[in-house]
Amino acid sequence: MLSTNEIQMDSSYSSLITDDRCRCHSNDELYKSNVCQTRKTFSVNLPLLSYSFLIRLVNRAFNLYSNFTLHTKQNLIITDDFDLDGCIMNQTDEHNLEFIVNQYDIDDWCIIEDDTTDNFELIEIDNHCTLVTIKSICNRHETLLQKATNWLHGSVNTLLNNYLTKKEFFQMLDSSTGRLLNEDLLRQRIYDNGCEQSIRKIVWCYLFRIFNQTMTNEDKIQYTVKAKERYNEMKQAWQSKQESEIMILENLIQKDVTRTDSSVKFFGNKKNLSRQKLQHILMTYCVYHPEPGYAQGMTDMAAPILYVIRDEALAYACFCALMRYMTPLFHSDGIAINRRLDLLRKTIQAIDIELWNKIEQCDISNLMFAYRWLLLDCKREFPFKDICSVFETLWASLPIDRFELNNNTYSDVDDLCPSSICSYRHISMISSITNTILSSHSYSSIAEENQSEHSSIDGCDSGYRDEQISTIGDLNINYSQQDNITITSCIPLEKWLKNFSNIDNEYDYSDMFTIFLSIALLEQNRSSIMQVSTINIDNDDCIGYYFTRLVRQNDAKQALKLARNYHKQYVVFQMRIKQLLMSNN
């Protein structure tokens, strides 16, 4: 019997796409001369590609038990790595490289007795699309020499945990103008390892896009001066008002500010008036942003920013940038937070079904123990000294446009956005003030007596609403915005990712690092969770009770390591799936 197969490779995305036509099945089309054709598409890490690998892949993917030849559509026969490299270098299609496999029977056939020594795995997306990934090193067969080498020198796949240093950061700036030379590289370094405390202030300004790649040293100084002038005008405007709305809001924020990070020396030092600065930042933000106004938890997010930035006006600008990303989570409709809860539920089921079954058995409040994690990006789960590393890693993982401006000209000025503040005219103060709660009567939702008991983030049973969650559609990722995370294509991909083969929407993508950070918290405490017994426990949320006792005590370093691992796999998988489906079509 003779059957043919086509293999298509995508070199630009470091992936392999194959077109399989091999081995007759009942649903195959049978041609004259007893030729049978089927078609499949594969995505493969290009660095994996060798002649030996290709032979093994064809054998495994098409379940062959006979000899075959491999050649191009131009009838160039592939017999070794030299031929294969020539095909890759001379491909006419920028994205695809195709091969044909001719199968034939010979008595002395012998190729691969078993696939246990293969260093790759197949993740089938559907009947015609398969993703090929390198095996995780923990699942890969190693020789005695490899084991000895790894023991002596450590695994070559282990990433050095080197923070971005002050010296390295200043090498990223133009020596004459002070412009940042490569913003993507900076974000990548922060994502991988974080930065030294001594440069955290300026690095965070870049992460929040308060400083951008086009700004010189003079531009940054000019912006800082103008931002301070504008901020002081905004602050004085509401301080001079005596309306009841202002007084209600001020009392509400003051109560939360007093409780926020009270054990941190910076906020207990009356000399630098840190708590007063924090209150001013939140008051100014809420006055000039009546939607969403103030919500419990905002103090948690503003405090680390003020701790790092120290300058009140710059800290305000950074907080406004953060809220452009986080505002939906504080919205009263609950859609964004419910979406995160749904994503967490889906991800736990995909990664660790046994753990999910235990959680389902113990937790009758629908993951309410994780509500605080998802609302505050796990801020209260780690020691304050570690939360800066957690936050900067998360922010660097986001698409760069998450902190970009909207089209609201009032908000652009009120947020101290560089493009608006440097061309700021004094007259804008008049129009801007009319868009604040100073002239709004819809402030009642901020009154303390009207806050729902479900809005508390201090307890475990809080905040969940049963509104309809938005339908999850295809995620049309703008990869030009996400390439700031340049991830090696040969990251081992695990089979739990099959549950995310339908590319989700862009908001799901932005939420995923927080989701994986939550997964890391669960995995760190997995053995304890699995031993939880619901017998003779009055609390109906025993898992929530367990994590309440661990507030600010979890291991941030290990959690970040695990979250990065999951997140890198997810990003690479989504990119390769999109490219695979595009090529297949």
Side-chain angles (χ1 to χ4, degrees):
M1 182 191 76
L2 175 68
S3 63
T4 61
N5 308 285
E6 297 178 2
I7 300 178
Q8 178 185 8
M9 284 188 299
D10 181 344
S11 59
S12 62
Y13 287 90
S14 298
S15 60
L16 166 71
I17 301 174
T18 74
D19 177 14
D20 165 34
R21 303 186 179 177
C22 203
R23 191 172 176 79
C24 286
H25 298 282
S26 59
N27 60 345
D28 291 333
E29 183 177 357
L30 189 63
Y31 295 95
K32 60 183 178 180
S33 303
N34 198 25
V35 175
C36 164
Q37 296 186 334
T38 57
R39 179 183 178 89
K40 290 183 179 180
T41 305
F42 293 83
S43 172
V44 176
N45 292 322
L46 193 59
L48 279 176
L49 198 57
S50 66
Y51 176 72
S52 173
F53 161 79
L54 201 54
I55 295 297
R56 289 172 176 268
L57 174 62
V58 170
N59 182 73
R60 281 183 58 181
F62 303 134
N63 199 24
L64 298 181
Y65 296 97
S66 66
N67 272 307
F68 57 86
T69 60
L70 187 68
H71 60 88
T72 67
K73 286 193 171 182
Q74 292 74 34
N75 290 321
L76 173 64
I77 298 178
I78 308 300
T79 60
D80 54 29
D81 288 337
F82 182 81
D83 294 335
L84 182 58
D85 291 342
C87 290
I88 295 174
M89 289 186 292
N90 297 317
Q91 61 184 6
T92 56
D93 189 323
E94 182 181 357
H95 297 290
N96 302 317
L97 181 62
E98 298 185 15
F99 296 98
I100 296 174
V101 179
N102 287 326
Q103 179 185 4
Y104 54 92
D105 293 321
I106 290 183
D107 292 338
D108 62 353
W109 167 255
C110 179
I111 184 169
I112 304 173
E113 296 181 356
D114 64 75
D115 57 18
T116 58
T117 59
D118 288 345
N119 68 337
F120 64 90
E121 292 180 346
L122 305 181
I123 302 178
E124 188 171 323
I125 306 304
D126 58 35
N127 291 333
H128 302 288
C129 295
T130 302
L131 189 149
V132 185
T133 178
I134 190 170
K135 277 185 179 179
S136 172
I137 195 166
C138 59
N139 297 325
R140 196 182 309 164
H141 177 75
E142 291 184 313
T143 65
L144 290 175
L145 177 60
Q146 289 172 326
K147 289 179 180 179
T149 303
N150 288 340
W151 176 83
L152 183 61
H153 299 289
S155 172
V156 295
N157 293 321
T158 302
L159 290 176
L160 295 177
N161 187 24
N162 295 327
Y163 293 121
L164 176 69
T165 64
K166 184 176 181 179
K167 179 180 179 181
E168 184 182 358
F169 171 73
F170 281 105
Q171 288 175 345
M172 294 181 171
L173 304 178
D174 184 274
S175 57
S176 58
T177 65
R179 284 194 178 98
L180 181 64
L181 299 175
N182 191 329
E183 187 173 5
D184 292 343
L185 178 60
L186 173 64
R187 294 173 68 86
Q188 176 66 57
R189 285 289 284 112
I190 300 304
Y191 175 82
D192 286 337
N193 299 109
C195 66
E196 283 185 355
Q197 185 174 347
S198 61
I199 57 170
R200 190 162 273 151
K201 175 179 178 177
I202 189 171
V203 166
W204 281 24
C205 286
Y206 276 112
L207 287 179
F208 285 124
R209 307 282 289 164
I210 301 305
F211 295 162
N212 59 56
Q213 197 164 318
T214 66
M215 295 174 73
T216 64
N217 288 333
E218 290 183 2
D219 294 331
K220 286 176 271 193
I221 293 172
Q222 181 186 31
Y223 167 76
T224 302
V225 172
K226 288 184 176 291
K228 186 173 184 178
E229 292 174 356
R230 169 62 181 160
Y231 174 75
N232 287 335
E233 289 179 354
M234 295 168 64
K235 183 169 67 172
Q236 291 168 10
W238 64 260
Q239 286 178 333
S240 63
K241 302 291 183 179
Q242 298 298 323
E243 281 86 345
S244 60
E245 302 99 302
I246 297 295
M247 297 175 65
I248 292 172
L249 179 61
E250 200 165 10
N251 289 334
L252 181 61
I253 292 176
Q254 186 176 20
K255 289 180 180 179
D256 285 345
V257 166
T258 303
R259 295 192 295 253
T260 301
D261 297 316
S262 56
S263 61
V264 178
K265 185 178 179 180
F266 175 76
F267 293 105
N269 187 345
K270 296 180 180 180
K271 233 177 200 182
N272 63 18
L273 304 175
S274 301
R275 292 196 182 280
Q276 187 179 68
K277 291 180 182 180
L278 182 59
Q279 175 150 351
H280 289 167
I281 289 170
L282 290 162
M283 277 294 299
T284 306
Y285 176 81
C286 295
V287 167
Y288 286 84
H289 299 78
E291 288 295 332
Y294 179 72
Q296 192 178 27
M298 288 183 179
T299 54
D300 282 276
M301 306 311 294
I305 294 176
L306 178 60
Y307 176 81
V308 168
I309 303 297
R310 302 297 167 106
D311 180 273
E312 189 176 332
L314 279 182
Y316 170 82
C318 292
F319 180 70
C320 288
L322 177 63
M323 290 307 295
R324 286 195 285 272
Y325 154 64
M326 295 195 72
T327 289
L329 294 170
F330 293 101
H331 202 283
S332 60
D333 61 16
I335 293 176
I337 194 66
N338 284 339
R339 183 183 66 244
R340 282 194 170 189
L341 285 164
D342 189 63
L343 274 174
L344 179 59
R345 187 178 298 110
K346 175 182 177 181
T347 308
I348 300 172
Q349 292 171 345
I351 293 177
D352 194 337
I353 189 62
E354 185 182 4
L355 178 60
W356 169 252
N357 291 335
K358 182 64 176 181
I359 291 173
E360 200 171 31
Q361 173 190 343
C362 299
D363 177 41
I364 65 172
S365 54
N366 297 308
L367 293 180
M368 277 307 96
F369 65 85
Y371 176 86
R372 183 180 65 235
W373 305 356
L374 302 179
L375 179 66
L376 304 180
D377 288 336
C378 298
K379 190 261 182 178
R380 294 190 187 176
E381 313 319 309
F382 304 107
F384 187 86
K385 64 182 179 64
D386 297 327
I387 201 60
C388 293
S389 297
V390 173
F391 275 176
E392 64 196 14
T393 303
L394 188 155
W395 297 333
S397 78
L398 297 172
I400 199 168
D401 65 342
R402 285 298 171 268
F403 300 125
E404 289 292 337
L405 310 179
N406 53 37
N407 293 321
N408 184 335
T409 55
Y410 298 143
S411 178
D412 292 355
V413 177
D414 297 341
D415 287 4
L416 307 187
C417 299
S419 59
S420 300
I421 202 68
C422 290
S423 58
Y424 157 73
R425 296 292 182 269
H426 191 75
I427 193 171
S428 67
M429 185 65 172
I430 300 173
S431 59
S432 180
I433 199 82
T434 62
N435 195 42
T436 72
I437 67 167
L438 295 179
S439 59
S440 171
H441 297 285
S442 60
Y443 60 86
S444 59
S445 62
I446 66 171
E448 188 173 18
E449 58 269 24
N450 290 336
Q451 282 192 330
S452 167
E453 63 178 349
H454 298 292
S455 66
S456 170
I457 57 175
D458 293 309
C460 301
D461 183 17
S462 54
Y464 188 78
R465 304 170 182 87
D466 292 323
E467 287 87 359
Q468 180 72 25
I469 297 177
S470 303
T471 302
I472 296 179
D474 289 339
L475 173 58
N476 297 314
I477 300 177
N478 184 342
Y479 289 104
S480 65
Q481 296 173 342
Q482 295 171 7
D483 285 343
N484 57 295
I485 304 176
T486 309
I487 299 175
T488 305
S489 60
C490 276
I491 289 176
L493 303 181
E494 300 173 36
K495 293 190 176 181
W496 61 266
L497 289 160
K498 287 181 64 175
N499 295 276
F500 297 91
S501 58
N502 292 325
I503 298 178
D504 304 317
N505 65 54
E506 59 179 321
Y507 291 105
D508 290 350
Y509 174 86
S510 298
D511 288 338
M512 289 311 295
F513 194 89
T514 300
I515 299 299
F516 291 129
L517 199 56
S518 301
I519 295 292
L521 286 171
L522 291 171
E523 292 293 339
Q524 279 186 342
N525 296 278
R526 189 183 190 280
S527 59
S528 298
I529 294 172
M530 298 302 292
Q531 294 174 17
V532 167
S533 173
T534 58
I535 302 175
N536 299 325
I537 294 182
D538 295 331
N539 193 331
D540 59 3
D541 187 7
C542 46
I543 295 180
Y545 177 74
Y546 170 80
F547 278 107
T548 298
R549 293 185 290 114
L550 287 180
V551 165
R552 298 182 180 88
Q553 296 182 43
N554 290 284
D555 188 333
K557 185 176 180 181
Q558 289 301 316
L560 278 176
K561 181 179 179 181
L562 187 56
R564 283 192 192 103
N565 176 48
Y566 284 135
H567 185 257
K568 288 178 181 180
Q569 288 188 61
Y570 174 81
V571 173
V572 170
F573 181 78
Q574 293 286 18
M575 294 175 69
R576 290 183 61 186
I577 286 295
K578 182 175 181 180
Q579 187 276 324
L580 175 62
L581 296 177
M582 288 173 60
S583 298
N584 193 43
N585 292 334

